């Protein structure tokens, strides 16, 4: 009998298949982790903005700088999201409410949006027609966001 050293072709193929499956699973987990980290960074910036808005409200009794503009936000962008107030301040009859939204700079990477209001209730919406353009606020609040749920 002649003894050979090494791996057979079948053993090598099985090893490659197992490594491919493990790599695919690991990549999917990493992608989900990255998406959540980007959302958390946006939420953190929004929470800091909300605190500043609350300070402004406690001093002036509303969330507007004047009748036509919202208070300037501390953070208007993260590395992956733009952050703006929702709705035209001129059209807001209630000075005691606001909604702030974070929309991804690249909606192909992240179609979801985060929305926070004066009660610091956070919602995540699966899609939105809002885009990061040059406007000072997001318009069309009532019809922009779809499939929204409470976000921890």
């Amino acid at each position: 009998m002649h003894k050979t050293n090494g791996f057979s072709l079948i053993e090598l193929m099985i090893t490659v298949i197992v490594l491919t499956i493990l790599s695919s699973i690991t990549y999917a987990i990493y992608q989900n982790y990255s998406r959540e980290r980007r959302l958390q960074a946006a939420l953190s910036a929004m929470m800091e903005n909300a605190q500043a808005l609350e300070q402004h409200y406690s001093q002036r009794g509303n969330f507007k700088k004047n009748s036509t503009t919202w208070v300037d936000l501390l953070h208007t962008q993260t590395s992956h999201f733009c952050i703006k107030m929702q709705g035209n301040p001129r059209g807001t009859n209630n000075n005691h409410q606001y909604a702030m939204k974070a929309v991804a700079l690249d909606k192909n990477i992240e179609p979801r949006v985060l929305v926070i209001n004066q009660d610091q209730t956070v919602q995540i919406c699966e899609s939105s027609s809002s885009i990061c353009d040059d406007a000072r606020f997001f318009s069309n609040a009532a019809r922009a966001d779809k499939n929204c749920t409470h976000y921890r």
Side-chain angles (χ1 to χ4, degrees):
M1 293 248 78
H2 185 274
K3 186 175 179 180
T4 60
N5 292 332
F7 299 104
S8 71
L9 181 59
I10 292 186
E11 291 172 326
L12 187 58
M13 295 284 286
I14 291 171
T15 302
V16 169
I17 290 170
V18 168
L19 288 175
T20 302
I21 291 169
L22 289 175
S23 296
S24 298
I25 292 169
T26 303
Y27 182 72
I29 291 170
Y30 175 74
Q31 288 292 87
N32 286 338
Y33 172 78
S34 295
R35 287 179 68 192
E36 281 304 310
R37 293 305 313 148
R38 290 191 292 261
L39 280 174
Q40 287 299 317
L43 181 58
S44 177
M46 291 174 77
M47 293 303 281
E48 288 181 28
N49 285 340
Q51 289 175 350
L53 286 166
E54 288 298 324
Q55 286 177 336
H56 183 273
Y57 184 84
S58 68
Q59 294 169 353
R60 295 188 179 79
N62 63 54
F63 295 108
K64 298 179 192 177
K65 186 189 302 188
N66 56 47
S67 64
T68 61
T69 50
W70 292 110
V71 172
D72 295 329
L73 298 176
L74 297 174
H75 305 285
T76 58
Q77 189 169 331
T78 66
S79 56
H80 297 281
F81 287 85
C82 66
I83 302 169
K84 299 178 189 178
M85 298 299 281
Q86 177 75 55
N88 188 337
R90 290 181 187 188
T92 305
N93 295 329
N94 191 337
N95 291 330
H96 311 294
Q97 295 178 335
Y98 73 84
M100 182 185 353
K101 186 188 296 188
V103 174
L105 297 170
D106 184 349
K107 291 178 89 174
N108 292 324
I109 294 174
E110 180 59 76
R112 300 177 297 174
V113 299
L114 289 174
V115 181
I116 187 171
N117 66 15
Q118 71 281 348
D119 298 328
Q120 296 191 3
T121 300
V122 181
Q123 289 190 320
I124 186 164
C125 302
E126 293 303 314
S127 65
S128 178
S129 60
S130 298
I131 57 170
C132 296
D133 57 4
D134 291 335
R136 295 184 48 89
F137 57 86
F138 292 115
S139 59
N140 200 10
R143 296 180 303 258
D145 307 327
K146 305 290 183 212
N147 301 323
C148 300
T149 57
H150 182 73
Y151 188 70
R152 35 183 171 125

